[in-house]
Amino acid sequence: MSISQETFQSDSAYVVRSGDVSLELELFMNEHIDSILKHRATEHPFLNTYAAEGLDAEQSKVLYLETLHYFKFLPFYVCGISTLTRDEAVLRAIAFNARDELGETHSHSDLYRKFLLDKGISAEEIDGYKCLPSTQALNDGICALYTTPPLQKALGGLFADEAMSASMVSKYNDGLIKEGMSAQQRFFWTLHMEVEVGHSNAVFNIMEKHLQTPEQRALFVEGIQQYLHLMEIYWDGIARKLGKGLPA
């Protein structure tokens, strides 16, 4: 599944965009969806190389253990955004995101651990792995972005997070196909291709009242750019460790 601007506008998306959003705001948000999808953080050479070629078993283990450290605490950070506002629409969108991540009985973190085990990575390797400093910097940066005022900047980060992630998980899925993993083994990633688009649209649907002034919009864009910068650092760190996807 290729992720494009049209993916977010589809009437069959997991969460459909609201028809109550003004055309002017829709154009603003579409402009930034486009910039997120074209940004180096989303079109990183390492990620694109992985989607096209896959990795050997040891390299793939590193990628997916680093990815575990990238997002294992994300639901907690996303919930932090709710402390920056008293807007119930924002709280509802945050709660919707967290509910999806936690599930009824098994969280996405649980599903991801099962994916790692199915990939042949042992519980001892999962629990004992120490991530790269660049991955820790991403984790700490997202935490700060989502828990520090102003609200518009935090929501800009979340908007970039979900839109970028929709494309990222599609490329992970492509790389896993190259590695020979079955559709059943790739369930975690095919599930997220639709979920991340929906979460991005959920942010889209609540932004109108919070993006009324040029100053508010500038903060929103600042949050987008800060999140994408953190992702670039993350990918560069993995690319250097594995010796793939960066110029010699």
Side-chain angles (χ1 to χ4, degrees):
M1 178 181 176
S2 178
I3 304 298
S4 68
Q5 178 77 249
E6 290 70 30
T7 309
F8 297 88
Q9 300 169 7
S10 171
D11 289 338
S12 63
Y14 172 55
V15 175
V16 177
R17 286 184 173 185
S18 171
D20 296 331
V21 173
S22 70
L23 176 60
E24 194 266 340
L25 181 69
E26 182 178 5
L27 292 173
F28 172 81
M29 299 291 271
N30 283 346
E31 174 187 349
H32 289 290
I33 282 280
D34 191 55
S35 69
I36 291 164
L37 294 178
K38 291 178 179 176
H39 195 278
R40 184 174 178 269
T42 310
E43 290 293 321
H44 193 278
F46 169 81
L47 186 56
N48 288 339
T49 299
Y50 177 64
E53 301 174 6
L55 291 168
D56 66 36
E58 285 303 309
Q59 291 174 326
S60 187
K61 180 188 298 184
V62 169
L63 170 62
Y64 286 101
L65 288 173
E66 291 293 336
T67 302
L68 169 66
H69 285 264
Y70 154 33
F71 64 53
K72 67 178 178 178
F73 296 129
L74 272 179
F76 296 91
Y77 305 153
V78 170
C79 286
I81 297 174
S82 66
T83 67
L84 307 180
T85 183
R86 293 298 179 265
D87 181 347
E88 289 186 354
V90 173
L91 178 59
R92 193 171 292 112
I94 297 305
F96 170 72
N97 184 309
R99 184 204 68 189
D100 272 357
E101 293 294 336
L102 292 174
E104 293 295 329
T105 56
H106 297 289
S107 70
H108 284 190
S109 182
D110 293 333
L111 294 176
Y112 189 75
R113 187 177 182 90
K114 181 180 183 304
F115 160 77
L116 293 176
L117 292 170
D118 287 347
K119 209 171 185 306
I121 303 173
S122 71
E124 291 74 20
E125 289 173 310
I126 295 168
D127 295 334
Y129 187 80
K130 303 298 183 185
C131 70
L132 291 166
S134 47
T135 300
Q136 188 61 51
L138 170 64
N139 205 277
D140 294 343
I142 293 173
C143 179
L145 181 58
Y146 288 174
T147 57
T148 307
L151 175 66
Q152 286 82 1
K153 187 175 176 181
L155 289 174
L158 182 60
F159 187 64
D161 181 347
E162 303 295 359
M164 183 283 307
S165 293
S167 179
M168 179 190 78
V169 297
S170 74
K171 293 178 183 181
Y172 272 38
N173 187 58
D174 289 343
L176 290 168
I177 291 171
K178 294 293 189 302
E179 293 178 14
M181 294 199 76
S182 69
Q184 182 178 0
Q185 291 171 314
R186 291 181 283 105
F187 171 74
F188 180 88
W189 303 101
T190 53
L191 167 71
H192 277 75
M193 283 191 275
E194 295 186 8
V195 169
E196 308 295 14
V197 170
H199 288 173
S200 176
N201 282 349
V203 177
F204 175 98
N205 290 342
I206 59 157
M207 288 309 305
E208 183 111 44
K209 69 184 289 187
H210 298 290
L211 296 178
Q212 292 295 304
T213 68
E215 292 77 17
Q216 289 174 328
R217 294 191 178 194
L219 288 169
F220 184 76
V221 173
E222 185 179 346
I224 291 174
Q225 293 301 321
Q226 185 171 324
Y227 181 86
L228 294 174
H229 175 65
L230 290 166
M231 287 303 306
E232 279 195 275
I233 293 171
Y234 168 74
W235 292 124
D236 286 348
I238 294 175
R240 281 192 294 270
K241 182 175 178 67
L242 298 182
K244 294 180 74 73
L246 287 177

